[in-house]
Amino acid sequence: MNLDFTPEENAFRDEVRAFIRDNYPKDLMNMGTREDLTREQFLAWHKILGKKGWSAVAWPKKYGGTGWTSTQRYIWSEENARVDALMPLPFGVSMVGPVIYTFGNEEQKAKHLPGILSGDVWWAQGYSEPGAGSDLASLKTTAVRDGDHYVINGQKTWTTLAQHADWGFFLCRTDPSAKSQEGISFILVDMKTPGIEVRPIKLIDGTHEVNETWLTDVRVPVENLVGKENEGWTYAKFLLAHERSGIAGVARSKRGIERLRDIASSETIDGTPLILNGDFSRKISQLEIDLTALEFTELRTLASEAAGKGPGPESSILKIKGTEIQQRLTELTLEAVGNYGAPYARGMDGHGVNDFGVGPDYSNFAADTYFNMRKTSIYGGSNEIQRNIITKMILGL
Ligand SMILES: Cc1cc2nc3c(=O)[nH]c(=O)nc-3n(C[C@H](O)[C@H](O)[C@H](O)COP(=O)(O)OP(=O)(O)OC[C@H]3O[C@@H](n4cnc5c(N)ncnc54)[C@H](O)[C@@H]3O)c2cc1C
């Protein structure tokens, strides 16, 4: 296997690096944290990329994708990770977009794809419910046909950043008498429709990243149904495979390890840099080895996607290993900053709590990030569920 980049690929790297350097918003560069940003901040880079035609790098060219090879896409994610770029959110570009261009009708493609590409329309994912997370097919939200509308009632939960959403894609039960996976439909909902209420859920790090979404007699035109009624489970699973393969985050973890090395070079134990501590440097090396193994697995997956195969059950491997590495990275970062990680706790107002970090800048968000990243082994389908998928679909047990 030849792992060297070709001269054309190196030229491509130069081109995208220069584009990022000249166009990425300076105020968003290398931000220590990315929660509680404004809608405008979240969308700033997406909109610039939309104008350039680079917002949906994995889409087919005919729908507005770049037509880049898997290696070019890999280089693209590496170059963005170098500046910690705030990439287009996954809900439009990686989730509902591919569902619409694969299963939607021409009107739906014409209506929705441009806004996803340009970053003008923000999407939210309405899958999970209080009693239906891992066992998603037991969802209870109903969509009942009434003339040329569906009337939707139910409660979704963990809807990420729905406080900013213009549109949502919802899984609803359209045939309560069918077996659980067979009576579900995939419906696009304008979040301004009367009857939708988005209520915040605060996470352990104090951020408002997720919500409860309540739907009461929400009337949605039938033309918002994607594909066929009662066949939404097929589209839902297709979307989940796309969601999971994007979660691996290899390039960003590589950048995180570089940052961890810098921190461990600055922090000392009894006057000796932490990086020279055998136990600590062994932990970093083990993380790097695991990340390299994941990188090769991701490259293999990208290559098979380039050969025409969509992301399949192997995306579960990427999800498990990628999120485990992201979590270990935050654990080691917190370990490296030591006591400096403890005093600052965003969202914990009141007496005795600092409203600024007391240590070096890099320590300010170490605890927040550590806590926040616990989510990664839960969302996108928990890692236990991914192991079940591997057991069944890959090992055939
Ligand atoms: C930060 C965050 C953002 C999210 N964003 C969204 C979003 O935007 N839209 C959306 O629809 N959902 C979202 N989710 C929901 C997410 O997909 C679910 O939390 C996830 O699928 C797990 O479901 P649950 O929370 O109901 O846990 P449960 O399904 O109740 O699981 C509880 C525990 O039991 C384990 N478990 C359950 N069943 C099995 C089994 N069969 N075998 C082995 N172990 C099992 C699970 O692994 C888990 O550890 C988000 C979640 C988080 C944490």
Side-chain angles (χ1 to χ4, degrees):
M1 193 171 170
N2 181 6
L3 295 174
D4 294 333
F5 291 108
T6 63
E8 292 75 24
E9 286 161 352
N10 283 327
F12 174 78
R13 185 186 291 279
D14 292 343
E15 182 193 349
V16 299
R17 185 173 293 185
F19 182 79
I20 294 169
R21 185 194 60 223
D22 297 342
N23 293 281
Y24 188 76
K26 298 284 172 283
D27 58 321
L28 298 179
M29 199 156 297
N30 288 315
M31 292 181 82
T33 180
R34 45 194 60 241
E35 324 307 339
D36 285 349
L37 299 169
T38 63
R39 180 183 157 108
E40 288 65 37
Q41 285 174 315
F42 268 117
L43 293 175
W45 188 220
H46 188 156
K47 289 188 172 178
I48 293 166
L49 295 177
K51 290 202 178 83
K52 175 81 173 162
W54 286 1
S55 59
V57 297
W59 288 19
K61 215 164 176 184
K62 73 170 183 172
Y63 295 123
T66 53
W68 288 345
T69 63
S70 51
T71 311
Q72 286 175 308
R73 279 158 49 193
Y74 177 78
I75 291 171
W76 172 244
S77 59
E78 280 209 315
E79 291 304 313
N80 278 283
R82 284 182 73 240
V83 297
D84 250 341
L86 201 56
M87 298 308 284
L89 289 160
F91 310 105
V93 167
S94 310
M95 297 189 194
V96 74
V99 169
I100 291 174
Y101 69 63
T102 308
F103 303 106
N105 57 35
E106 293 310 313
E107 288 74 34
Q108 288 167 342
K109 290 178 200 170
K111 178 170 179 178
H112 294 296
L113 298 184
I116 296 174
L117 288 165
S118 67
D120 288 319
V121 179
W122 186 306
W123 285 83
Q125 179 185 29
Y127 272 32
S128 307
E129 298 181 4
S134 302
D135 183 17
L136 186 58
S138 68
L139 62 90
K140 292 196 170 58
T141 294
T142 53
V144 177
R145 187 79 184 255
D146 178 23
D148 53 4
H149 282 74
Y150 287 109
V151 181
I152 303 182
N153 278 287
Q155 184 199 348
K156 296 291 175 180
T157 193
W158 306 122
T159 359
T160 300
L161 298 172
Q163 68 267 35
H164 299 302
D166 303 302
W167 279 78
F169 48 95
F170 288 82
L171 293 182
C172 304
R173 192 160 293 291
T174 34
D175 182 357
S177 63
K179 275 204 294 185
S180 59
Q181 299 181 349
E182 286 167 15
I184 292 171
S185 296
F186 191 106
I187 301 177
L188 310 177
V189 179
D190 183 339
M191 293 295 281
K192 287 185 291 301
T193 317
I196 300 181
E197 193 192 341
V198 175
R199 299 182 193 163
I201 303 175
K202 279 253 168 150
L203 289 183
I204 191 171
D205 64 347
T207 55
H208 173 194
E209 195 181 326
V210 287
N211 301 276
E212 292 175 348
T213 303
W214 296 75
L215 302 108
T216 311
D217 293 332
V218 177
R219 292 184 69 81
V220 177
V222 284
E223 62 254 29
N224 290 8
L225 171 77
V226 174
K228 295 199 178 116
E229 195 176 79
N230 298 326
E231 293 191 11
W233 189 249
T234 308
Y235 321 137
K237 279 195 307 187
F238 168 91
L239 178 147
L240 285 174
H242 277 263
E243 175 179 358
R244 279 171 203 145
S245 52
I247 289 177
V250 171
R252 212 162 281 277
S253 289
K254 268 192 183 173
R255 174 80 188 96
I257 290 179
E258 276 173 31
R259 202 179 298 121
L260 175 60
R261 283 194 181 285
D262 289 344
I263 293 173
S265 303
S266 302
E267 293 296 314
T268 55
I269 307 178
D270 296 332
T272 306
L274 181 61
I275 194 79
L276 298 178
N277 175 285
D279 186 42
F280 197 80
S281 75
R282 184 187 52 75
K283 288 183 195 167
I284 299 183
S285 300
Q286 186 58 55
L287 194 60
E288 260 183 319
I289 292 166
D290 290 348
L291 184 58
T292 306
L294 177 67
E295 187 175 14
F296 283 102
T297 309
E298 187 178 43
L299 285 171
R300 279 205 308 273
T301 314
L302 285 174
S304 80
E305 266 182 61
K309 281 177 64 188
E314 61 279 8
S315 58
S316 296
I317 301 174
L318 299 178
K319 202 265 161 167
I320 294 173
K321 296 310 288 184
T323 54
E324 284 178 354
I325 288 169
Q326 289 159 28
Q327 291 187 338
R328 270 162 60 205
L329 189 53
T330 64
E331 283 155 28
L332 287 182
T333 306
L334 190 58
E335 194 178 328
V337 303
N339 290 336
Y340 289 139
Y344 176 76
R346 181 185 19 209
M348 306 283 282
D349 305 328
H351 182 70
V353 176
N354 292 320
D355 60 359
F356 59 90
V358 294
D361 282 353
Y362 57 68
S363 64
N364 287 347
F365 295 110
D368 283 12
T369 310
Y370 165 83
F371 285 121
N372 187 278
M373 292 304 277
R374 301 306 99 191
K375 69 189 176 189
T376 63
S377 46
I378 304 171
Y379 67 25
S382 76
N383 285 13
E384 289 79 14
I385 293 300
Q386 303 315 310
R387 288 192 173 85
N388 287 348
I389 293 173
I390 292 168
T391 311
K392 230 164 110 181
M393 310 288 287
I394 299 180
L395 302 176
L397 298 173

